[in-house]
Structures are given as structure tokens and as C-alpha cells.
Amino acid sequence: MVDQGERTFVEIACDESGSEGEKLIGGETDVFAHAGVRLSTEAAADCLREIRARIRSPALEYKSNHLLRSKHRPVLVWLLSPAGPIHGVAKVHLTDKAYFLAGLLAGLLGEDHADLHRNGPRTFGPARWTRILGAFNDLIRTSNRQPVSDSLAELVAGTPLADRLRHADLAAWREEVVLNPLLPALAETVRHWSDGGRGVSVVHDEQPSLTEARIAQVRRLLDGVPLRLRFVDSRLDARVQVADFLAGVARKIASDQLGGRGDPELTTLLRPFAAPSSAWWNGVRRAPGRDLPVGG
């Protein structure tokens, strides 16, 4: 705990995996993960030393891909196990990027988020629905606030969605919406560790996308939860390195589950770490293996 005057601040270390800014469809990753750990510097250093001792790689800097190699599976299982060094002191906020984007579209149209995410593929077919989301993503990332882009209009032509999009006030909506999933993920991470009122001091890996303007957006999302934020080189802070490990392995485990390639053991081990506020559809199965992999 850090005492800042009359308010007590809890300090956590954070890192992310899968960040591609406002590009949510058609990028390198389909899941974004933001991890926060509450460890002392000494405990984090002990954790890193144990990982090195178990993996025995000559690499100067260890990353999550070391843990994800099949030959190092026992190390990953140990790290995530109830007896491991981060159990009970770490959380990861997961974002299914397609679900997140469907939520933005639902907000623009005044639709129910889960209904649109469930019914979109049913109505248009999975491939066309992905193209619709991609066209919508391209539209809202541009500085040109046309009512509806030509490509999006063509994809939804002749459907009720086309009429609703034509009448949507895209310009006004765009001024208020947050497109980068890092911002709500960071806000939810802070909210979790605030425990209903205490301040949160975040030590975060250097993140160029977290400009002063975007940090101000995070503060607005927090609605009064006190936040102190400083950036460090992850190589110089063992706590941030541990957060990097958790974010990286969580993103890969969740992505595999989302794509129907889930590993039951790893999914089960990850579940206690997942923030309940994760942007993940907790509803009827979309396809085998694609229901909510973590949470609670």
C-alpha cells in the first residue's frame, strides 16, 4: 500500500498483449489481454528467477512465448496453478475484438449487444458478417465521417441494417465512443483493484498509444476512481515482466478457445485470473469451443 495523504493507494504493475490500436478486425490478433499484478518487487523477482531456473533458456529477456512452447508446458501450468506465485494477486481483462466491435455497432444502432453479436452471423453468414464488421471498423477509424461508407453500404444493402445505418448519427456518436480496447481494459483493471474506493497507482510498460488525451479518457471511464499512472521499461521492473507473462499467455489461451482449439487444462487454470468485466460474450454457444473461456 502507498499512503498518499488521506487516501490509500494500492500499487499494481500492468502490461498488455494483442494491442493493435483501433484496428479490431483483420489484424494479427483476435483477442486483446490486459494484465495487472499486485506483487512486491522482491516477489516478482523471485518469480522470474524460478521461471528462468525451470526453463533454462540462454535468452537475455524471457517473454510469454517461452512459456507457451510445448516443452515448457509444466512451467506454464505451475505459473497458473493455485499453488503458483501469482494466484490471488493477478487479474487479466480479456477482449474478444469482434465482440467489442459488435458492441460499438450495437451502441450506434440502439441494438442489444449480445443479440447483434449472435444474430449477425446467422443473418449474413459468418464470412460476410466479418466483412461487415471490418468495413464498419474501417469507417469509424477514418477522419471522414460519412453517414455510411460505400463498402459498408454494399455489404448491408437490402437489409434492415442498411436503413438503420443510414439514419444513425455517426458523427455525434463517434465523438463519444472509445475505439481502442486498451482504454476500457485499463479502466476495468483499475476499477478491480480499487476495491470500491481506494486509489490505484499503476506502473505500466511503456505504451505510446496512452497519450495524455487517452489517459484523460481512461479517467472519465473511471468516474472518480483515483488513478496514478507512470510508465517504465519492462526490462527494468520485474513486476511488469510478470504482468507481461500473464497477458501473453492469457491472450493465446483465450484466442485458442475462441477459435475452437482450446486446451481444457490451460483454460481451466486461466479462469480464476479473468476479470468478470472482460469483453467476452457470456451467452449461448456461438460454435463448439467458443463460449466464454474464463471469468468469475
Side-chain angles (χ1 to χ4, degrees), residues 96-104 113-114 117 279-282 286:
D96 172 349
K97 293 182 181 181
Y99 178 66
F100 181 80
L101 184 59
L104 298 180
H113 185 177
H117 189 62
W280 205 279
W281 187 44
N282 188 13
R286 288 170 281 174

Side-chain angles (χ1 to χ4, degrees), residues 80 92 94 246 250 253-254 265-274 294:
L80 298 178
V92 59
L94 295 167
L246 178 57
I253 293 169
E265 181 184 24
L266 295 181
T267 297
T268 298
L269 286 171
L270 182 62
R271 186 169 288 117
F273 293 96
V294 286

Side-chain angles (χ1 to χ4, degrees), residues 56-241:
R56 298 184 180 279
S57 168
L60 295 178
E61 183 180 8
Y62 279 29
K63 305 293 285 185
S64 61
N65 62 350
H66 286 90
L67 289 168
L68 290 166
R69 293 171 187 168
S70 58
K71 65 180 179 179
H72 298 318
R73 182 187 179 94
V75 187
L76 177 56
V77 169
W78 162 79
L79 181 68
L80 298 178
S81 72
I86 61 174
H87 193 81
V89 292
K91 280 291 179 182
V92 59
H93 184 280
L94 295 167
T95 300
D96 172 349
K97 293 182 181 181
Y99 178 66
F100 181 80
L101 184 59
L104 298 180
L105 180 57
L108 172 64
L109 301 177
E111 297 274 333
D112 179 80
H113 185 177
D115 285 348
L116 184 65
H117 189 62
R118 176 176 55 245
N119 295 329
R122 293 177 179 175
T123 302
F124 297 98
R128 186 179 174 192
W129 179 244
T130 297
R131 291 173 61 200
I132 289 170
L133 288 179
F136 176 63
N137 191 189
D138 290 342
L139 171 64
I140 61 179
R141 291 172 63 209
T142 66
S143 58
N144 182 12
R145 307 302 179 211
Q146 303 176 66
V148 181
S149 68
D150 291 339
S151 59
L152 181 56
E154 292 169 1
L155 287 167
V156 300
T159 72
L161 187 60
D163 187 60
R164 293 202 296 275
L165 279 169
R166 277 194 300 270
H167 290 89
D169 190 348
L170 180 63
W173 171 85
R174 180 62 182 84
E175 292 301 319
E176 300 296 327
V177 74
V178 176
L179 302 183
N180 189 333
L182 170 60
L183 308 189
L186 174 56
E188 290 299 335
T189 299
V190 171
R191 198 184 307 280
H192 169 78
W193 292 103
S194 72
D195 194 24
R198 62 189 175 188
V200 179
S201 179
V202 173
V203 181
H204 206 292
D205 186 29
E206 294 171 341
Q207 179 54 258
S209 66
L210 283 174
T211 61
E212 287 299 323
R214 287 173 177 152
I215 293 171
Q217 284 184 295
V218 172
R219 293 187 189 281
R220 287 195 292 273
L221 292 172
L222 285 170
D223 193 27
V225 176
L227 167 65
R228 298 181 186 275
L229 179 63
R230 65 184 176 93
F231 297 101
V232 298
D233 184 335
S234 63
R235 295 169 297 182
L236 303 179
D237 194 306
R239 299 169 300 171
V240 176
Q241 291 179 51

Side-chain angles (χ1 to χ4, degrees), residues 13-51:
C14 295
D15 205 351
E16 52 75 24
S17 179
S19 178
E20 297 178 77
E22 296 179 352
K23 185 173 182 60
L24 301 169
I25 297 292
E28 296 295 322
T29 59
D30 56 0
V31 172
F32 171 74
H34 186 268
V37 301
R38 186 185 173 192
L39 284 172
S40 68
T41 300
E42 294 77 12
D46 288 342
C47 177
L48 294 182
R49 278 192 291 269
E50 184 64 23
I51 290 173

